[in-house]
Amino acid sequence: MGSTSIGYQSGISARFDDRNLNLRADATLSSLPCKVDFSRKSFFSATTSTHNKECSNRARVCSLPNTDEKLETPLLDSIETPSQLKNLTVKELKVLADEIRTELLSVLWKTRKSVKPSLAAIELTLALHYVFRAPVDKILWDAVEQTYAHKVLTRRWSSIPSRQNNGVSSVTSRLENEYDSFGTGHGCNSISAALGLAVARDIKGKRDRVVAVIDSVTITAGQAYEAMSNAGYLDSNMIVILNDNRHSLHPNMADGSKASISALSSFMSKIQSSQIFRKFRELAKAMTKKIGKGMYEWAAKVDEYARGMVGPTGSTLFEELGLYYIGPVDGHNIEDLVCVLREVASLDSMGPVLVHVITEEKRDAETANIVVKDRRTYSDCFAEALVKEAEKDRDIVVVHAGIEMDPSLVTFQERFPERFFNVGMAEQHAVTFSAGLSSGGLKPFCIIPSAFLQRAYDQVVHDVDRQRRAVRFVITSAGLVGSDGPVQCGAFDIAFMSCLPNMIAMAPANEDELVNMVATAANVTDRPVCFRFPRGAIVNKNYLVPIGLPIEIGRGRVLLEGQDVALLGYGAMVQNCLNAHSLLSKLGLNVTVADARFCKPLDIKLVRDLCQNHKFLITVEEGCVGGFGSHVAQFIALDGQLDGKIKWRPIVLPDGYIEEASPNEQLALAGLTGHHIAATALSLLGRTREALLLMS
């Protein structure tokens, strides 16, 4: 039943003997000290010192290795499938947690990504796989950053980057592994998908359990609350794990009141999840229903308020949505996690349940957060240019949306804190909020990564473009994004933004053009404007940001004059056109290179001149079909240019999703390198053999 995908290990057997597996699980789980002890001694027992000691040990384990030596992980090496966890003792689970932490740190620090979220979720991941019977039971993850321990347990750890060239996907993928019940996207999809799986299970008469794990950042998105509201209405059995990792995109929220873990909260969580308490609660509900509707509603309110008093602030919100709240539970205490999850897993007709789990990223070593910048990026230049514009114009404000804020924006946030608004994973709100700011006389720069802007397209159309609100969309992470693969790839924004009637769409060829486009956008006051730039390093590593000069709207430029072939690039692909020019020059060909600058309005004079003075026109963009090249094709077709001597060829991203790889590898896979562009030109000129040699 195992499935394979390019470059990944797979093929894990999905055969389960449910009867034998349940017997083994019950025998092992029953040995855990999960019974609720109602004694006074248990109620007031302190857990703080033991917990701090465990945290201290954990921090020592998390020290970043300074060598490439193979670290010993004997228990981890013996785990072939997650079902084997059911044969381990609690003590062995703790050892396994430390081994996984060591393994992740020893490998993932080389990828230059933060692994703190995955380190903080290790005990939770172990408890989930210990209690539930994946892949028969469905475990869905919302935040990709918390899934590495899950990948380790499902035998993909040998393919983690630096062990093999291909590595594992940065997201959960049904195509990669049978233990991935649903693919992760940009966050907030787990509860919706889990509810769909739960309803499908009920219709088909199955009995598997469905668990959705969502964190404290992605749960701020509106879809999560829509899903919980619908789950409460449908009342299907499912479990939502709120992994509250003490992290928020909002500093005031992160520093505010937090749910605390204590002996009392641990005790109450066990009571809430215990079968005795639930049966008593169901009996009370049934009795009050018989007495009358008024008594039933009164009793339900008493139950809600009583449990809200012992729960943390905001816990009654989940009750109002129809989810039975349990928590908070210490996410680093395996005994408590297994106890509560085992009780919740035993529910037969309880409806949706939310288990509030507290984990802390700060408990792991600070060296776990590896952020390395070799060169200055486009984001750095943009932030500096925007600060310069904001110093001149007090009406400029910034609205940022997305899963995390680029560190370069901290410069603007610190310089103008009252003019900076980070709304988190609320892209729809960010767009309409920006439209409101514009209506109020301000000049909003709405900064959203390309892949995340897709979530707010309806607001872009109706709240901004249709009303001609002067919102300046700054589309970051445009085009291919390397190790973040198809999940955060910005492939579609050229097409879906440039098709809007009132939108100005532009893209800089380099850092100079980016600075000038910031100034250009600041000067546009009668309609919306957008510009995109890639994630990578700038062209000139020693670049000093000057004062931006506004560009004439709809005016491109010719960079190099040539003959026969014209390369018309859009955005960052202009640099690849220049690389192609260099390659062709060595073969005795002198081609023209032009920078379109604008996709809409298109510089029709520039395009007409290129068509009339060349035999071949090649448009190049780092976007899907339907974007810049389509606008050029529309014009030259209607202008009659295609009736003459000109022949046009577009180079765009392929009609498919490009998986994780290095930026250069992705460009090669997409056919967007200088070599590919040069080979296309040679083929058009009939020099096919030279084109093949160039590509080889």
Side-chain angles (χ1 to χ4, degrees), residues 4-10 156 158-160 164-169 176:
T4 59
S5 95
I6 298 175
Y8 301 120
Q9 277 193 340
S10 189
R156 285 171 279 177
S158 61
S159 295
I160 287 175
Q164 294 182 7
N165 291 331
N166 292 321
V168 299
S169 172
E176 180 181 290

Side-chain angles (χ1 to χ4, degrees), residues 24-89:
R24 290 198 303 272
D26 290 342
T28 309
L29 287 170
S30 62
S31 65
L32 285 172
C34 287
K35 302 297 183 183
V36 180
D37 185 353
F38 290 91
S39 67
R40 179 179 178 87
K41 178 179 179 181
S42 172
F43 188 87
F44 291 104
S45 62
T47 59
T48 306
S49 60
T50 302
H51 198 64
N52 288 342
K53 182 178 179 182
E54 290 178 359
C55 294
S56 176
N57 292 337
R58 195 157 41 240
R60 285 197 295 272
V61 171
C62 291
S63 297
L64 191 66
N66 295 319
T67 68
D68 291 328
E69 295 181 7
K70 174 66 174 71
L71 300 175
E72 296 299 325
T73 54
L75 189 55
L76 176 59
D77 294 340
S78 69
I79 301 297
E80 295 293 334
T81 65
S83 62
Q84 291 179 277
L85 297 183
K86 301 179 186 297
N87 299 321
L88 301 181
T89 65

Side-chain angles (χ1 to χ4, degrees), residues 370-422:
I370 306 298
V371 178
V372 179
K373 274 193 177 183
D374 295 328
R375 294 177 60 179
R376 297 180 68 209
T377 65
Y378 278 95
S379 291
D380 295 330
C381 291
F382 162 72
E384 292 179 35
L386 190 58
V387 167
K388 291 180 182 294
E389 291 296 326
E391 288 173 343
K392 298 185 299 179
D393 191 339
R394 299 183 62 180
D395 287 338
I396 290 178
V397 294
V398 166
V399 178
H400 177 271
I403 198 166
E404 62 181 12
M405 188 179 73
D406 192 289
S408 61
L409 292 176
V410 173
T411 303
F412 189 100
Q413 185 181 33
E414 293 178 345
R415 180 72 176 81
F416 308 105
E418 73 286 352
R419 290 196 262 163
F420 186 89
F421 307 94
N422 184 21

Side-chain angles (χ1 to χ4, degrees), residues 214-229:
I214 188 167
D215 71 7
S216 53
V217 173
T218 55
I219 202 171
T220 62
Q223 182 183 346
Y225 291 91
E226 294 170 3
M228 286 188 285
S229 178

Side-chain angles (χ1 to χ4, degrees), residues 59-293:
R60 285 197 295 272
V61 171
C62 291
S63 297
L64 191 66
N66 295 319
T67 68
D68 291 328
E69 295 181 7
K70 174 66 174 71
L71 300 175
E72 296 299 325
T73 54
L75 189 55
L76 176 59
D77 294 340
S78 69
I79 301 297
E80 295 293 334
T81 65
S83 62
Q84 291 179 277
L85 297 183
K86 301 179 186 297
N87 299 321
L88 301 181
T89 65
V90 174
K91 183 178 180 180
E92 289 172 325
L93 285 175
K94 292 179 180 179
V95 173
L96 180 59
D98 287 339
E99 289 189 6
I100 293 175
R101 186 169 279 105
T102 301
E103 177 68 17
L104 289 178
L105 277 170
S106 68
V107 175
L108 291 182
W109 72 276
K110 298 179 182 179
T111 67
R112 300 181 178 183
K113 284 188 176 182
S114 172
V115 296
K116 281 187 176 181
S118 277
L119 297 178
I122 289 175
E123 287 81 6
L124 174 60
T125 305
L126 286 173
L128 285 168
H129 280 292
Y130 191 95
V131 173
F132 297 99
R133 300 179 300 121
V136 175
D137 291 335
K138 307 299 188 293
I139 302 175
L140 289 76
W141 300 87
D142 205 284
V144 298
E145 297 84 0
Q146 299 182 27
T147 62
Y148 275 114
H150 165 75
K151 289 176 178 288
V152 167
L153 292 174
T154 51
R155 300 305 292 174
R156 285 171 279 177
W157 62 285
S158 61
S159 295
I160 287 175
S162 84
R163 283 181 173 269
Q164 294 182 7
N165 291 331
N166 292 321
V168 299
S169 172
S170 63
V171 300
T172 55
S173 170
R174 298 182 66 190
L175 299 177
E176 180 181 290
N177 193 275
E178 61 191 337
Y179 288 91
D180 293 349
S181 301
F182 197 83
T184 48
H186 304 139
C188 82
N189 67 344
S190 62
I191 303 177
S192 297
L195 179 59
L197 286 168
V199 171
R201 172 205 62 202
D202 296 342
I203 292 175
K204 289 181 172 292
K206 298 181 179 180
R207 296 178 59 85
D208 52 280
R209 295 170 178 83
V210 180
V211 184
V213 184
I214 188 167
D215 71 7
S216 53
V217 173
T218 55
I219 202 171
T220 62
Q223 182 183 346
Y225 291 91
E226 294 170 3
M228 286 188 285
S229 178
N230 193 213
Y233 173 76
L234 295 175
D235 204 34
S236 290
N237 285 347
M238 63 176 289
I239 302 164
V240 177
I241 308 291
L242 171 54
N243 180 15
D244 186 352
N245 53 14
R246 309 283 195 173
H247 176 66
S248 174
L249 292 174
H250 305 270
N252 58 323
M253 288 175 60
D255 296 335
S257 60
K258 300 175 180 176
S260 60
I261 296 295
S262 64
L264 174 60
S265 63
S266 177
F267 179 81
M268 294 305 299
S269 296
K270 292 178 182 178
I271 289 180
Q272 289 174 312
S273 62
S274 67
Q275 292 189 31
I276 295 176
F277 179 82
R278 294 196 314 272
K279 288 179 179 179
F280 174 77
R281 184 171 179 265
E282 291 300 310
L283 178 62
K285 287 168 64 178
M287 291 178 63
T288 54
K289 272 187 178 180
K290 291 182 179 180
I291 295 174
K293 182 179 180 182

Side-chain angles (χ1 to χ4, degrees), residues 424-441:
M425 290 190 66
E427 295 85 2
Q428 293 174 312
H429 164 65
V431 171
T432 306
F433 176 47
S434 297
L437 291 170
S438 176
S439 298

Side-chain angles (χ1 to χ4, degrees), residues 53 67 113 174 184 211 265 273 298 313-314 323 351 366 371 434 447 454 479 499 609 611 621 635 646 685:
K53 182 178 179 182
T67 68
K113 284 188 176 182
R174 298 182 66 190
T184 48
V211 184
S265 63
S273 62
W298 177 83
T313 303
L323 281 74
E366 291 299 320
V371 178
S434 297
I447 306 171
Q454 296 163 184
C499 69
D609 289 345
C611 290
E621 63 188 299
F635 168 71
I646 191 68
L685 293 169

Side-chain angles (χ1 to χ4, degrees), residues 501-627:
N502 297 316
M503 185 70 66
I504 297 173
M506 53 187 178
N510 55 29
E511 51 272 23
D512 277 321
E513 290 291 288
L514 174 58
V515 172
N516 291 337
M517 286 184 183
V518 172
T520 304
N523 278 1
V524 175
T525 59
D526 62 339
R527 49 183 163 164
V529 58
C530 69
F531 58 94
R532 71 189 318 248
F533 56 82
R535 183 181 287 186
I538 58 177
V539 179
N540 181 2
K541 64 181 179 180
N542 297 318
Y543 184 72
L544 297 178
V545 176
I547 300 296
L549 300 175
I551 302 169
E552 180 182 348
I553 300 298
R555 178 58 60 89
R557 56 179 182 156
V558 174
L559 301 179
L560 296 170
E561 291 275 7
Q563 56 188 12
D564 292 333
V565 178
L567 306 178
L568 180 58
Y570 182 64
M573 287 299 98
V574 172
Q575 298 303 318
N576 290 20
C577 291
L578 292 172
N579 293 338
H581 177 276
S582 177
L583 292 169
L584 293 171
S585 296
K586 296 176 181 178
L587 297 175
L589 288 175
N590 187 24
V591 300
T592 295
V593 177
D595 174 11
R597 281 179 169 165
F598 292 87
C599 179
K600 188 175 185 179
L602 189 67
D603 188 342
I604 59 175
K605 181 180 183 303
L606 172 64
V607 175
R608 185 181 287 125
D609 289 345
L610 292 176
C611 290
Q612 293 176 349
N613 296 314
H614 299 82
K615 296 179 181 179
F616 305 101
L617 173 65
I618 301 174
T619 57
V620 188
E621 63 188 299
E622 196 174 354
C624 68
V625 66

